[in-house]
Amino acid sequence: MSKLHLWIFLILFLAVIQTGFSQVEKNHTDAFQINSLSGYILDHSPNIIQLIQGPTQGFMASWERQTYGKNEWERAYNYPSFGASFIAQDMGSPELGSVYSIHADYRFFFLKRQVSLQVGTGLAYVENPFHPEDNPKNYAYGSTITGSFYAGLHYRKDQIFNTPLGVQVGAFLMHYSNGKTKSPNTSTNNYGIQFGINYQLEEEFPEFKTEQLADFKAENIKFNFMFSSGMNDFGVIGLDNNPFYVFTAYAGKRLNRKSSFHLGTELFLSHSLKQYINYRSIAYANEGGITGDEDWKRVGLFAGHELFIGKLSLITQVGYYIYYPVKYNKQYYTRVGLKRYLTDKIFVSIMLKTHLAKAEAMEYGIGIRL
């Protein structure tokens, strides 16, 4: 692993920690964790078989801030913690090289708070991405900067022998993908085990607030309007990526404190699809089918769910193209992503749109809820 890159990411990680300490009112406790990671890459595509050469090795350094129920959503979710993590991994082959990532994450606790589920998402730096001459076998990572997702299930034992030290052991799953921002993008799914220690930074701990949750106030149906954009390509290596635009309108009904149901429609304007139509009409002119005059717009209907965690929410959606003039991927699609409310009405989002396991785009959006 490059020492220069490692130090750069460690400095950024410490900056994130400092920001967290300075911006949140003191009604919490903090801890620091270091974990050793050992695993394997899942063989999910024939394009990466030659890249799976050995076990992956790395470490994860994390800052964790424990909540105690000051806000109602904290009590509703059994006092979760949040924080930031820096992960460095050697992916087990010279073609893949090393990957360094920074995540924002949450931890949710079960079984008397001894078992925790940690989920995080962020950005990763790929040390050795695809290059047509220098690294032509790396079909997993087509760009230097890629998205990353971490999930881990841990058993924890804090404050062993009444000391600040504790231990944790568990399993993890790590996913690296640029969301088809640049091909190739076969991506990797890395799973394995982890073991580490944690250190509590405080000597005294607040009591968990146990005030009863206020009654949920039912809401009328809210109408949402959103604009999303980004860059992607249609999968041919060497061609430029292109902008796309998505105009979305949907109705949302808050079912309870945690959940909302969505139903809506959207218009897709993708210049990569326009380029795909032109490419197919020239490269496969003798096969018939696409002539080059086809419409490159698509219209979809979708249903979705929103899980509220304070001002942050997790979005899952499934959709179907009702106007689909060119066969391009599957006719149904899915999304998963995050939404952050800036005010009660204004929000921003980041979504990964896929057709089954095949990514189409990372969508960055802004919207209004009326």
Side-chain angles (χ1 to χ4, degrees):
M1 295 183 179
S2 167
K3 292 183 178 181
L4 175 60
H5 296 149
L6 180 59
W7 279 111
I8 291 174
F9 271 91
L10 284 175
I11 292 171
L12 291 174
F13 176 72
L14 292 174
V16 172
I17 292 179
Q18 179 61 36
T19 300
F21 275 116
S22 63
Q23 292 183 352
V24 182
E25 181 183 349
K26 187 68 174 178
N27 190 16
H28 53 260
T29 55
D30 295 289
F32 184 77
Q33 301 177 0
I34 185 77
N35 287 271
S36 174
L37 308 176
S38 180
Y40 295 90
I41 295 175
L42 181 67
D43 179 10
H44 73 281
S45 170
N47 289 333
I48 67 168
I49 291 177
Q50 74 279 5
L51 302 176
I52 304 176
Q53 300 178 13
T56 63
Q57 302 290 340
F59 73 90
M60 177 171 68
S62 303
W63 157 69
E64 177 184 5
R65 173 157 287 175
Q66 176 62 55
T67 66
Y68 287 87
K70 175 187 175 183
N71 299 306
E72 193 172 53
W73 70 268
E74 299 169 3
R75 303 195 296 276
Y77 283 94
N78 191 32
Y79 317 99
S81 65
F82 61 91
S85 298
F86 166 71
I87 298 176
Q89 283 189 293
D90 183 327
M91 302 305 293
S93 73
E95 290 83 8
L96 291 176
S98 297
V99 181
Y100 310 92
S101 59
I102 291 181
H103 297 152
D105 48 44
Y106 276 86
R107 295 173 179 84
F108 301 92
F109 295 90
F110 313 93
L111 301 179
K112 298 182 179 180
R113 305 187 68 78
Q114 291 185 326
V115 176
S116 64
L117 173 65
Q118 180 182 353
V119 291
T121 186
L123 293 175
Y125 172 80
V126 176
E127 185 179 56
N128 196 19
F130 171 86
H131 189 278
E133 297 178 359
D134 298 335
N135 196 19
K137 294 182 179 181
N138 189 355
Y139 271 65
Y141 311 136
S143 58
T144 301
I145 302 298
T146 186
S148 61
F149 173 79
Y150 168 89
L153 187 65
H154 314 133
Y155 172 80
R156 296 172 46 159
K157 183 65 176 177
D158 296 331
Q159 297 179 284
I160 297 177
F161 303 120
N162 294 320
T163 69
L165 289 173
V167 297
Q168 62 267 345
V169 62
F172 73 89
L173 173 68
M174 176 69 70
H175 176 71
Y176 296 119
S177 171
N178 67 25
K180 209 177 179 183
T181 301
K182 186 177 181 181
S183 293
N185 182 49
T186 308
S187 73
T188 59
N189 296 298
N190 174 222
Y191 66 95
I193 59 173
Q194 64 183 82
F195 176 80
I197 59 174
N198 62 72
Y199 184 87
Q200 299 290 335
L201 300 181
E202 276 84 13
E203 296 181 357
E204 298 182 359
F205 301 89
E207 294 290 333
F208 289 107
K209 298 183 183 296
T210 57
E211 290 90 341
Q212 186 174 358
L213 298 176
D215 293 334
F216 174 75
K217 296 181 179 179
E219 293 182 351
N220 295 326
I221 293 176
K222 300 291 185 179
F223 293 97
N224 298 257
F225 301 92
M226 186 169 66
F227 169 74
S228 304
S229 186
M231 302 284 287
N232 70 348
D233 62 31
F234 67 86
V236 174
I237 298 172
L239 295 183
D240 294 335
N241 53 0
N242 299 279
F244 63 85
Y245 312 101
V246 185
F247 299 89
T248 305
Y250 64 92
K253 174 61 177 176
R254 189 79 176 261
L255 304 176
N256 51 47
R257 188 186 312 279
K258 296 181 179 180
S259 296
S260 177
F261 177 76
H262 300 162
L263 187 64
T265 184
E266 50 197 343
L267 170 66
F268 299 92
L269 304 176
S270 173
H271 285 272
S272 287
L273 177 53
K274 188 176 182 180
Q275 187 183 43
Y276 170 82
I277 293 171
N278 183 63
Y279 173 83
R280 293 284 301 189
S281 67
I282 297 173
Y284 299 90
N286 296 328
E287 296 183 10
I290 295 178
T291 65
D293 297 324
E294 289 81 0
D295 191 358
W296 54 286
K297 297 184 288 296
R298 291 171 291 172
V299 177
L301 291 179
F302 70 91
H305 178 266
E306 182 172 358
L307 179 67
F308 293 90
I309 309 173
K311 293 184 178 181
L312 188 71
S313 59
L314 173 66
I315 305 296
T316 52
Q317 296 175 349
V318 58
Y320 185 83
Y321 299 112
I322 59 172
Y323 180 68
Y324 194 61
V326 176
K327 187 176 181 180
Y328 180 68
N329 293 320
K330 302 292 184 180
Q331 196 164 348
Y332 48 87
Y333 57 93
T334 58
R335 278 199 191 91
V336 62
L338 297 174
K339 180 191 288 186
R340 177 66 162 82
Y341 286 90
L342 305 180
T343 70
D344 290 339
K345 294 183 177 181
I346 305 297
F347 59 86
V348 293
S349 66
I350 177 171
M351 307 277 188
L352 173 62
K353 182 188 176 191
T354 67
H355 299 81
L356 293 180
K358 188 175 182 180
E360 181 182 348
M362 291 294 299
E363 300 176 344
Y364 305 90
I366 184 169
I368 185 169
R369 180 173 178 260
L370 303 176

